[in-house]
Amino acid sequence: MTSTQAEIEVSYDVSNDFFRLWLDEAMHYTSGSYLTGDETLEQAQIQKAEILADYAEVTPESFVLDIGCGWGSNLEFLATRRGVKRARGITLSTEQCEWIHQRGVPGVEAVVCDYAKHEPEEPYDALISIEMIDHLCSPDQATKGMAVELYRAYFQKTASWVKPGACFGFQAILRNRVPRSRKDLEDLAFTADVIFPGGLNPRLEELVQAVNPYWEVLELRTQRTSYGKTTAEWLRRMRLHEAAIRETFGDPIFDDYDRYLSTCVRAFERHWSSDVQMKLRKID
Amino acid sequence: MAVLQPASHGRAREKEVMDMDRAQLLELFKKTASEIAEKDFADVGEDSVIASMGVDSLAMLEVVGEMERELTIQVPDDQLVGLETVRQLLDMLEKRITA
Ligand SMILES: C[S@@+](CC[C@H](N)C(=O)[O-])C[C@H]1O[C@@H](n2cnc3c(N)ncnc32)[C@H](O)[C@@H]1O
């Protein structure tokens, strides 16, 4: 693991109330899936959760693990919309975990745990993980050529938790083309250092390499423009609350997140970043 | 001025670019790098090590971006890894020009 607990807390423990002001109601902090382009953010988030639950072949009887479950938005979707009776999430953030327990959705359970230390008491039927893998390799480790090995360790570990033939609905933010201007490079570096310390988005080809020999890629779809729309909507909603955010959380928080989200919008528009969803099946 | 446009797919590369020889490519690199790094690179040759020219990695990407525009080429990012000398950079650019 490279994003340490302290680094994770920088990213996610600013304050639950801050994120509530601009994320959708269920608090998905990842790309939604816009299929027509006319949906609301809320609908796009539900569509994302549907795609991944279908990829994971979730049924009401499935024992499901969500790796890096955030504020439990996907767990809640599984329990309330798919009738899943046992949906468990793991996260490194204590604030997120407490939040999930307070919501008290029947069938949903969350644990603060590093994925690398997780040992389930019985195998899962299905896995889902939404944009957590970008915490597993730091920029320094990537420079040293360690990315594929770190991702592979994750895919090996996760494959050891499931029943034969189980499926994994996987989503990751990607890096693609490196910008060529200093200002753009500095904005991206700012996002990495200030908002998500220790993190780095994988490249698509690294992931395709790393799933082998543990998982077979059955389906793969990218959704760069969906992430552009998601981040543009987050930015729009955050700006609506500018005065309140400045007053309650301070100017640096507003300014940092404004810069971060604006950089994201440009990153998806200009192909610096993208997003991928994969349906993986365990190779037995 | 076509050379200022980003490389566009399907457009024939300018004949001047296709005909550019190695010495001209080196000159273009020196001119671009000295504008971006604001340094004099008169003594730089193909064996010069880029890092020891005082060109940091951000400036290096800017130089590549500017040369991509000038040469109407697009360099895949994986080819930017491990470039240490000017010669390695020019070899890589030459391959993209003729690709
Ligand atoms: C970008 S958030 C995504 C949250 C959620 N999946 C969603 O869609 O909103 C990344 C999540 O991964 C968790 N995480 C990061 N590294 C982890 C690790 N090593 N083990 C478990 N969870 C981790 C963080 O705590 C956070 O909840």
Side-chain angles (χ1 to χ4, degrees), chain A residues 8 12 29-30 68 70 91-92 96 113-115 130-132 135:
Chain A
I8 288 288
Y12 303 108
Y29 194 16
T30 48
T91 170
L92 280 183
Q96 289 181 332
C113 175
D114 176 6
Y115 98 88
I130 313 174
E131 296 174 26
M132 166 276 188
H135 288 288

Side-chain angles (χ1 to χ4, degrees), chain B residues 13-47:
Chain B
R13 198 154 289 140
E14 299 291 314
K15 191 167 181 312
E16 306 157 39
V17 170
M18 293 297 287
D19 289 347
M20 199 174 240
D21 67 19
R22 188 72 178 205
Q24 288 171 309
L25 197 59
L26 176 63
E27 278 318 303
L28 178 63
F29 167 73
K30 285 162 65 166
K31 177 172 154 280
T32 313
S34 65
E35 277 165 14
I36 286 167
E38 296 179 353
K39 288 193 165 77
D40 176 24
F41 290 136
D43 294 339
V44 162
E46 293 221 3
D47 292 321

Side-chain angles (χ1 to χ4, degrees), chain A residues 151-224:
Chain A
Y151 302 143
R152 189 165 276 154
Y154 164 89
F155 285 113
Q156 177 175 20
K157 181 89 186 170
T158 51
S160 76
W161 295 336
V162 298
K163 292 185 183 158
C167 288
F168 187 172
F170 174 89
Q171 178 169 318
I173 182 167
L174 301 173
R175 73 181 198 282
N176 187 21
R177 199 166 157 76
V178 181
R180 304 291 198 252
S181 99
R182 180 166 289 264
K183 156 115 189 13
D184 292 336
L185 289 162
E186 283 171 352
D187 282 341
L188 282 186
F190 162 85
T191 297
D193 298 344
V194 179
I195 308 287
F196 288 105
L200 175 73
N201 301 329
R203 299 187 65 93
L204 180 56
E205 55 271 31
E206 293 170 340
L207 295 178
V208 171
Q209 252 188 299
V211 297
N212 273 296
Y214 311 106
W215 298 91
E216 176 183 14
V217 180
L218 294 186
E219 283 179 50
L220 185 157
R221 70 185 288 277
T222 59
Q223 47 168 16
R224 179 180 58 80

